[in-house]
Amino acid sequence: MTNRRTTSLTRFAWRATKIVAFAAATWFLAVPQLPLVWKSLPALASINVLLLILGIGCAFAALVAYAQLTRTLLDDGHRPGLWHSLGIVISSLGVNRVMPAGAAAGSIVTFRLLARAGVGRRRAAFVMTTQSIGSALVLNALLWVALLAVLPARGFAPSYLVAVGVGAAVFGSVGLVVDALLHCRRWLWTFVAAIGRALPVVKSARLIDLLDDQSARMVGLAARRSTLRRAMGWAVANWLFDAAALWIFLRAFDVALNPVAVLVAFAFANVASLLPITPGGLGVVELTMAAALAGFGAPSVPTALGVAAFRVFNYWSPIPAAGLAYLSIRNIHRTPVPVLDD
Protein backbone atom coordinates (compact mmCIF):
# COMPACT_ATOMS: atom_id res chain seq x y z
CA MET A 1 0.00 0.00 0.00
CA THR A 2 2.84 2.36 0.89
CA ASN A 3 4.57 1.67 -2.43
CA ARG A 4 1.36 2.43 -4.32
CA ARG A 5 0.93 5.73 -2.49
CA THR A 6 4.54 6.66 -3.15
CA THR A 7 4.13 5.83 -6.86
CA SER A 8 0.91 7.86 -7.07
CA LEU A 9 2.53 10.83 -5.35
CA THR A 10 5.54 10.61 -7.67
CA ARG A 11 3.29 10.56 -10.73
CA PHE A 12 1.24 13.47 -9.39
CA ALA A 13 4.39 15.49 -8.66
CA TRP A 14 5.78 14.79 -12.14
CA ARG A 15 2.52 15.76 -13.86
CA ALA A 16 2.26 18.90 -11.72
CA THR A 17 5.83 19.83 -12.63
CA LYS A 18 5.10 19.35 -16.33
CA ILE A 19 1.94 21.48 -16.11
CA VAL A 20 3.78 24.26 -14.27
CA ALA A 21 6.65 24.12 -16.79
CA PHE A 22 4.19 24.25 -19.68
CA ALA A 23 2.34 27.21 -18.16
CA ALA A 24 5.61 29.04 -17.43
CA ALA A 25 6.91 28.43 -20.96
CA THR A 26 3.63 29.66 -22.42
CA TRP A 27 3.61 32.77 -20.24
CA PHE A 28 7.27 33.73 -20.64
CA LEU A 29 7.90 32.49 -24.20
CA ALA A 30 4.67 32.54 -26.18
CA VAL A 31 2.63 35.37 -24.61
CA PRO A 32 5.36 38.04 -25.09
CA GLN A 33 5.25 37.31 -28.83
CA LEU A 34 1.53 38.21 -29.14
CA PRO A 35 1.99 42.02 -29.42
CA LEU A 36 4.57 41.49 -32.16
CA VAL A 37 2.21 39.17 -34.05
CA TRP A 38 -0.62 41.70 -33.62
CA LYS A 39 1.54 44.47 -35.11
CA SER A 40 2.44 42.13 -37.96
CA LEU A 41 -1.14 41.54 -39.10
CA PRO A 42 -1.14 44.34 -41.74
CA ALA A 43 1.69 42.51 -43.50
CA LEU A 44 -0.73 39.66 -44.29
CA ALA A 45 -2.03 41.72 -47.20
CA SER A 46 1.25 41.21 -49.08
CA ILE A 47 1.56 37.47 -48.45
CA ASN A 48 2.56 35.25 -51.40
CA VAL A 49 -0.12 32.54 -51.45
CA LEU A 50 1.65 30.39 -54.04
CA LEU A 51 4.74 30.20 -51.85
CA LEU A 52 2.58 29.26 -48.87
CA ILE A 53 1.10 26.39 -50.88
CA LEU A 54 4.60 25.29 -51.88
CA GLY A 55 5.69 25.44 -48.23
CA ILE A 56 2.74 23.28 -47.19
CA GLY A 57 3.78 20.80 -49.89
CA CYS A 58 7.30 20.64 -48.45
CA ALA A 59 5.94 20.10 -44.93
CA PHE A 60 3.79 17.23 -46.24
CA ALA A 61 6.79 15.79 -48.12
CA ALA A 62 8.69 15.73 -44.79
CA LEU A 63 5.96 13.54 -43.28
CA VAL A 64 6.08 11.23 -46.31
CA ALA A 65 9.87 10.94 -45.93
CA TYR A 66 9.47 10.00 -42.26
CA ALA A 67 6.89 7.36 -43.20
CA GLN A 68 9.32 6.01 -45.79
CA LEU A 69 12.00 5.88 -43.10
CA THR A 70 9.72 3.63 -41.05
CA ARG A 71 9.06 1.38 -44.04
CA THR A 72 12.77 1.20 -44.90
CA LEU A 73 13.65 -0.03 -41.41
CA LEU A 74 10.86 -2.62 -41.74
CA ASP A 75 12.08 -3.91 -45.09
CA ASP A 76 13.20 -7.32 -43.80
CA GLY A 77 9.63 -8.58 -43.51
CA HIS A 78 5.98 -7.54 -43.43
CA ARG A 79 5.46 -3.78 -43.47
CA PRO A 80 2.42 -1.53 -44.02
CA GLY A 81 2.00 0.43 -47.24
CA LEU A 82 3.12 4.02 -47.65
CA TRP A 83 -0.25 5.66 -46.97
CA HIS A 84 -0.87 3.35 -44.03
CA SER A 85 2.56 4.26 -42.62
CA LEU A 86 1.83 7.95 -43.23
CA GLY A 87 -1.42 7.59 -41.29
CA ILE A 88 0.50 6.05 -38.38
CA VAL A 89 3.02 8.93 -38.42
CA ILE A 90 0.28 11.59 -38.44
CA SER A 91 -1.70 9.81 -35.69
CA SER A 92 1.40 9.69 -33.49
CA LEU A 93 2.22 13.35 -34.18
CA GLY A 94 -1.29 14.46 -33.24
CA VAL A 95 -1.04 12.76 -29.85
CA ASN A 96 2.48 14.11 -29.38
CA ARG A 97 1.23 17.68 -29.89
CA VAL A 98 -1.62 17.66 -27.34
CA MET A 99 -0.23 15.77 -24.33
CA PRO A 100 2.41 16.93 -21.80
CA ALA A 101 4.18 13.55 -22.13
CA GLY A 102 3.52 13.66 -25.84
CA ALA A 103 6.58 11.75 -27.01
CA ALA A 104 5.75 8.73 -24.82
CA ALA A 105 2.05 8.81 -25.72
CA GLY A 106 2.85 9.16 -29.43
CA SER A 107 5.20 6.18 -29.21
CA ILE A 108 2.45 4.08 -27.65
CA VAL A 109 0.10 4.99 -30.51
CA THR A 110 2.76 4.11 -33.09
CA PHE A 111 3.52 0.82 -31.33
CA ARG A 112 -0.14 -0.22 -31.22
CA LEU A 113 -0.87 0.73 -34.82
CA LEU A 114 2.24 -1.10 -36.06
CA ALA A 115 1.18 -4.16 -34.07
CA ARG A 116 -2.30 -3.90 -35.57
CA ALA A 117 -0.68 -3.83 -39.03
CA GLY A 118 1.06 -7.14 -38.33
CA VAL A 119 4.47 -5.95 -37.14
CA GLY A 120 5.88 -7.98 -34.24
CA ARG A 121 6.22 -6.23 -30.91
CA ARG A 122 9.98 -6.55 -30.55
CA ARG A 123 10.53 -5.64 -34.17
CA ALA A 124 8.31 -2.58 -33.81
CA ALA A 125 10.16 -1.53 -30.65
CA PHE A 126 13.52 -1.85 -32.42
CA VAL A 127 12.37 0.10 -35.47
CA MET A 128 10.85 2.90 -33.37
CA THR A 129 13.98 3.21 -31.21
CA THR A 130 16.32 3.13 -34.21
CA GLN A 131 14.19 5.64 -36.10
CA SER A 132 14.01 8.08 -33.21
CA ILE A 133 17.71 7.90 -32.35
CA GLY A 134 18.80 7.96 -35.98
CA SER A 135 16.63 10.97 -36.73
CA ALA A 136 18.12 12.86 -33.77
CA LEU A 137 21.65 12.01 -34.92
CA VAL A 138 20.92 13.22 -38.45
CA LEU A 139 19.46 16.49 -37.10
CA ASN A 140 22.57 17.20 -35.04
CA ALA A 141 24.83 16.27 -37.96
CA LEU A 142 22.94 18.69 -40.22
CA LEU A 143 23.29 21.41 -37.60
CA TRP A 144 27.04 20.88 -37.35
CA VAL A 145 27.46 20.92 -41.14
CA ALA A 146 25.35 24.08 -41.45
CA LEU A 147 27.32 25.78 -38.67
CA LEU A 148 30.59 24.99 -40.43
CA ALA A 149 29.13 26.50 -43.61
CA VAL A 150 28.12 29.81 -41.96
CA LEU A 151 31.17 30.28 -39.72
CA PRO A 152 33.36 31.92 -42.40
CA ALA A 153 30.74 34.59 -43.08
CA ARG A 154 29.17 35.06 -39.64
CA GLY A 155 31.94 34.14 -37.24
CA PHE A 156 31.53 32.10 -34.07
CA ALA A 157 28.72 32.97 -31.66
CA PRO A 158 28.61 31.75 -28.03
CA SER A 159 25.18 30.21 -28.63
CA TYR A 160 26.82 27.80 -31.09
CA LEU A 161 28.52 26.16 -28.12
CA VAL A 162 25.12 25.00 -26.90
CA ALA A 163 24.37 23.32 -30.22
CA VAL A 164 27.81 21.71 -30.34
CA GLY A 165 27.48 20.55 -26.72
CA VAL A 166 24.02 19.04 -27.19
CA GLY A 167 25.12 17.31 -30.37
CA ALA A 168 28.23 15.92 -28.70
CA ALA A 169 26.12 14.65 -25.78
CA VAL A 170 23.67 12.94 -28.17
CA PHE A 171 26.39 11.32 -30.26
CA GLY A 172 28.36 10.29 -27.18
CA SER A 173 25.36 8.76 -25.40
CA VAL A 174 24.26 6.81 -28.46
CA GLY A 175 27.81 5.64 -29.06
CA LEU A 176 28.17 4.36 -25.49
CA VAL A 177 24.83 2.49 -25.65
CA VAL A 178 25.61 0.90 -29.02
CA ASP A 179 29.11 -0.07 -27.90
CA ALA A 180 27.71 -1.62 -24.72
CA LEU A 181 25.15 -3.64 -26.67
CA LEU A 182 27.65 -4.86 -29.25
CA HIS A 183 30.93 -5.27 -27.35
CA CYS A 184 30.23 -5.20 -23.60
CA ARG A 185 27.21 -7.45 -23.40
CA ARG A 186 28.50 -9.63 -20.56
CA TRP A 187 29.16 -6.56 -18.39
CA LEU A 188 25.81 -5.06 -19.38
CA TRP A 189 23.91 -8.26 -18.53
CA THR A 190 25.63 -8.38 -15.13
CA PHE A 191 24.61 -4.78 -14.51
CA VAL A 192 20.98 -5.51 -15.50
CA ALA A 193 20.90 -8.58 -13.25
CA ALA A 194 22.14 -6.45 -10.35
CA ILE A 195 19.32 -3.96 -10.98
CA GLY A 196 16.84 -6.85 -10.98
CA ARG A 197 18.09 -8.02 -7.61
CA ALA A 198 17.91 -4.51 -6.15
CA LEU A 199 14.48 -3.71 -7.67
CA PRO A 200 12.10 -6.67 -7.52
CA VAL A 201 9.71 -4.85 -9.87
CA VAL A 202 12.28 -5.16 -12.68
CA LYS A 203 12.36 -8.66 -14.15
CA SER A 204 15.99 -8.89 -15.10
CA ALA A 205 15.59 -12.12 -17.09
CA ARG A 206 12.99 -10.58 -19.41
CA LEU A 207 14.99 -7.37 -19.73
CA ILE A 208 18.17 -9.28 -20.60
CA ASP A 209 16.25 -11.30 -23.18
CA LEU A 210 14.86 -8.10 -24.71
CA LEU A 211 18.27 -6.40 -24.81
CA ASP A 212 19.82 -9.51 -26.32
CA ASP A 213 17.16 -9.52 -29.02
CA GLN A 214 17.60 -5.82 -29.75
CA SER A 215 21.39 -6.11 -29.99
CA ALA A 216 21.03 -9.04 -32.41
CA ARG A 217 18.69 -6.92 -34.55
CA MET A 218 21.21 -4.08 -34.41
CA VAL A 219 23.94 -6.38 -35.74
CA GLY A 220 21.58 -7.54 -38.49
CA LEU A 221 20.76 -3.97 -39.48
CA ALA A 222 24.45 -2.99 -39.51
CA ALA A 223 25.07 -5.81 -41.99
CA ARG A 224 22.45 -4.44 -44.40
CA ARG A 225 24.40 -1.50 -45.76
CA SER A 226 21.89 -0.65 -48.49
CA THR A 227 19.10 -0.45 -45.92
CA LEU A 228 21.19 1.86 -43.74
CA ARG A 229 21.97 4.14 -46.67
CA ARG A 230 18.30 4.36 -47.67
CA ALA A 231 17.25 4.98 -44.06
CA MET A 232 19.81 7.75 -43.69
CA GLY A 233 18.65 9.27 -46.96
CA TRP A 234 15.02 9.37 -45.82
CA ALA A 235 16.02 10.82 -42.42
CA VAL A 236 17.99 13.59 -44.14
CA ALA A 237 15.09 14.21 -46.56
CA ASN A 238 12.66 14.49 -43.63
CA TRP A 239 14.64 17.28 -41.95
CA LEU A 240 15.60 19.08 -45.17
CA PHE A 241 11.99 19.16 -46.45
CA ASP A 242 10.91 20.63 -43.10
CA ALA A 243 13.70 23.23 -43.21
CA ALA A 244 12.81 24.04 -46.82
CA ALA A 245 9.21 24.60 -45.72
CA LEU A 246 10.42 27.15 -43.14
CA TRP A 247 12.56 28.93 -45.74
CA ILE A 248 9.62 29.07 -48.19
CA PHE A 249 7.22 30.36 -45.51
CA LEU A 250 9.71 33.13 -44.72
CA ARG A 251 10.00 33.96 -48.42
CA ALA A 252 6.20 34.17 -48.58
CA PHE A 253 6.47 37.07 -46.12
CA ASP A 254 9.32 38.63 -48.10
CA VAL A 255 12.09 37.50 -45.73
CA ALA A 256 15.10 36.66 -47.90
CA LEU A 257 17.79 34.70 -46.04
CA ASN A 258 20.53 32.31 -47.03
CA PRO A 259 19.05 28.76 -46.95
CA VAL A 260 21.99 27.57 -44.85
CA ALA A 261 21.26 30.27 -42.24
CA VAL A 262 17.64 29.13 -42.13
CA LEU A 263 18.84 25.53 -41.73
CA VAL A 264 20.96 26.59 -38.74
CA ALA A 265 17.97 28.33 -37.10
CA PHE A 266 15.67 25.40 -37.88
CA ALA A 267 18.04 22.73 -36.55
CA PHE A 268 18.99 24.81 -33.50
CA ALA A 269 15.32 25.27 -32.57
CA ASN A 270 14.56 21.56 -33.02
CA VAL A 271 17.54 20.58 -30.90
CA ALA A 272 16.22 22.95 -28.20
CA SER A 273 12.81 21.24 -28.45
CA LEU A 274 14.41 18.02 -27.20
CA LEU A 275 14.15 19.51 -23.72
CA PRO A 276 10.88 17.99 -22.39
CA ILE A 277 9.36 21.27 -21.21
CA THR A 278 6.33 21.65 -23.48
CA PRO A 279 4.57 19.28 -25.94
CA GLY A 280 6.47 19.33 -29.23
CA GLY A 281 8.59 22.25 -28.02
CA LEU A 282 5.63 24.65 -28.16
CA GLY A 283 6.88 28.16 -27.41
CA VAL A 284 10.51 26.99 -27.16
CA VAL A 285 10.82 26.34 -30.91
CA GLU A 286 9.14 29.58 -31.92
CA LEU A 287 11.26 31.77 -29.65
CA THR A 288 14.53 29.98 -30.43
CA MET A 289 13.83 30.00 -34.17
CA ALA A 290 12.91 33.70 -34.25
CA ALA A 291 15.95 34.66 -32.15
CA ALA A 292 18.31 32.64 -34.35
CA LEU A 293 16.86 34.14 -37.53
CA ALA A 294 17.16 37.64 -36.05
CA GLY A 295 20.83 36.89 -35.42
CA PHE A 296 21.22 36.41 -39.17
CA GLY A 297 19.65 39.82 -39.85
CA ALA A 298 16.03 38.83 -40.47
CA PRO A 299 13.48 41.65 -39.88
CA SER A 300 11.43 40.98 -36.76
CA VAL A 301 7.86 41.61 -37.97
CA PRO A 302 7.73 39.47 -41.16
CA THR A 303 9.93 36.85 -39.53
CA ALA A 304 7.45 36.47 -36.68
CA LEU A 305 4.68 35.95 -39.22
CA GLY A 306 6.72 33.47 -41.25
CA VAL A 307 7.65 31.42 -38.20
CA ALA A 308 4.06 31.51 -36.93
CA ALA A 309 2.71 30.36 -40.32
CA PHE A 310 5.29 27.59 -40.47
CA ARG A 311 4.40 26.36 -36.99
CA VAL A 312 0.68 26.38 -37.81
CA PHE A 313 1.25 23.73 -40.43
CA ASN A 314 4.22 22.03 -38.74
CA TYR A 315 2.75 21.84 -35.23
CA TRP A 316 -1.01 22.41 -35.28
CA SER A 317 -2.22 20.85 -38.54
CA PRO A 318 -1.34 17.24 -37.51
CA ILE A 319 -3.73 17.51 -34.54
CA PRO A 320 -7.05 17.44 -36.47
CA ALA A 321 -5.47 15.31 -39.21
CA ALA A 322 -4.46 12.72 -36.59
CA GLY A 323 -8.06 11.94 -35.71
CA LEU A 324 -8.98 11.39 -39.35
CA ALA A 325 -5.86 9.29 -39.97
CA TYR A 326 -6.49 7.13 -36.91
CA LEU A 327 -10.14 6.53 -37.84
CA SER A 328 -9.20 5.65 -41.42
CA ILE A 329 -6.63 3.11 -40.21
CA ARG A 330 -9.14 1.60 -37.80
CA ASN A 331 -11.78 1.37 -40.52
CA ILE A 332 -9.45 -0.12 -43.13
CA HIS A 333 -8.11 -2.69 -40.65
CA ARG A 334 -11.08 -3.51 -38.45
CA THR A 335 -9.29 -6.66 -37.27
CA PRO A 336 -5.57 -6.76 -36.58
CA VAL A 337 -3.35 -8.30 -39.24
CA PRO A 338 -1.76 -11.55 -37.95
CA VAL A 339 1.82 -11.01 -36.83
CA LEU A 340 4.14 -12.69 -39.32
CA ASP A 341 7.32 -12.37 -37.28
CA ASP A 342 8.61 -10.95 -34.03
Side-chain angles (χ1 to χ4, degrees), residues 66 106 138 333:
Y66 199 78
V138 167
H333 300 280

Side-chain angles (χ1 to χ4, degrees), residues 13-342:
W14 174 244
R15 289 175 181 173
T17 302
K18 297 281 283 187
I19 292 172
V20 171
F22 175 71
T26 302
W27 181 258
F28 291 107
L29 299 180
V31 172
Q33 305 303 312
L34 293 180
L36 181 60
V37 174
W38 181 259
K39 293 178 182 178
S40 306
L41 291 180
L44 290 174
S46 60
I47 189 173
N48 190 319
V49 178
L50 291 179
L51 284 178
L52 277 184
I53 294 173
L54 181 59
I56 294 171
C58 282
F60 182 75
L63 295 178
V64 173
Y66 199 78
Q68 282 287 48
L69 173 58
T70 304
R71 299 184 72 246
T72 299
L73 294 172
L74 287 170
D75 74 346
D76 59 340
H78 177 75
R79 60 181 180 178
L82 174 58
W83 295 110
H84 190 168
S85 299
L86 182 61
I88 293 175
V89 170
I90 294 174
S91 299
S92 174
L93 272 180
V95 174
N96 186 312
R97 299 294 195 253
V98 298
M99 299 187 67
S107 297
I108 293 173
V109 170
T110 301
F111 184 82
R112 290 180 176 176
L113 290 178
L114 284 175
R116 192 176 184 84
V119 179
R121 292 176 298 174
R122 292 188 174 185
R123 187 157 163 258
F126 174 74
V127 167
M128 290 169 58
T129 303
T130 304
Q131 184 175 20
S132 178
I133 294 175
S135 184
L137 291 176
V138 167
L139 173 65
N140 281 277
L142 288 174
L143 176 57
W144 284 9
V145 171
L147 282 175
L148 289 175
V150 300
L151 281 178
R154 303 293 304 182
F156 189 84
S159 58
Y160 294 168
L161 288 174
V162 178
V164 173
V166 171
V170 171
F171 279 102
S173 300
V174 172
L176 287 174
V177 172
V178 171
D179 185 69
L181 286 172
L182 296 181
H183 304 110
C184 307
R185 294 167 65 180
R186 181 175 298 178
W187 175 87
L188 184 61
W189 294 177
T190 303
F191 178 71
V192 171
I195 293 177
R197 288 191 297 269
L199 302 173
V201 178
V202 178
K203 297 181 179 180
S204 57
R206 290 186 61 183
L207 186 56
I208 289 174
D209 181 54
L210 177 62
L211 290 174
D212 197 40
D213 174 81
Q214 299 296 295
S215 63
R217 292 178 187 273
M218 189 180 300
V219 172
L221 178 61
R224 303 199 304 273
R225 300 296 177 86
S226 62
T227 300
L228 282 176
R229 285 194 295 268
R230 285 186 287 120
M232 183 176 294
W234 286 119
V236 171
N238 165 245
W239 289 117
L240 289 184
F241 273 125
D242 242 353
L246 172 61
W247 182 78
I248 293 171
F249 273 111
L250 291 171
R251 289 291 299 166
F253 290 93
D254 204 27
V255 178
L257 283 177
N258 188 311
V260 178
V262 175
L263 178 59
V264 170
F266 170 84
F268 193 76
N270 278 278
V271 168
S273 73
L274 295 177
L275 298 173
I277 299 175
T278 62
L282 180 62
V284 176
V285 170
E286 290 83 353
L287 184 65
T288 305
M289 197 174 284
L293 291 169
F296 288 107
S300 58
V301 172
T303 298
L305 281 176
V307 170
F310 168 73
R311 287 293 281 173
V312 164
F313 290 98
N314 176 266
Y315 184 94
W316 295 105
S317 63
I319 296 175
L324 297 175
Y326 185 80
L327 289 175
S328 66
I329 293 173
R330 298 280 297 187
N331 288 332
I332 293 172
H333 300 280
R334 293 183 181 275
T335 57
V337 177
V339 176
L340 300 181
D341 60 2
D342 198 14

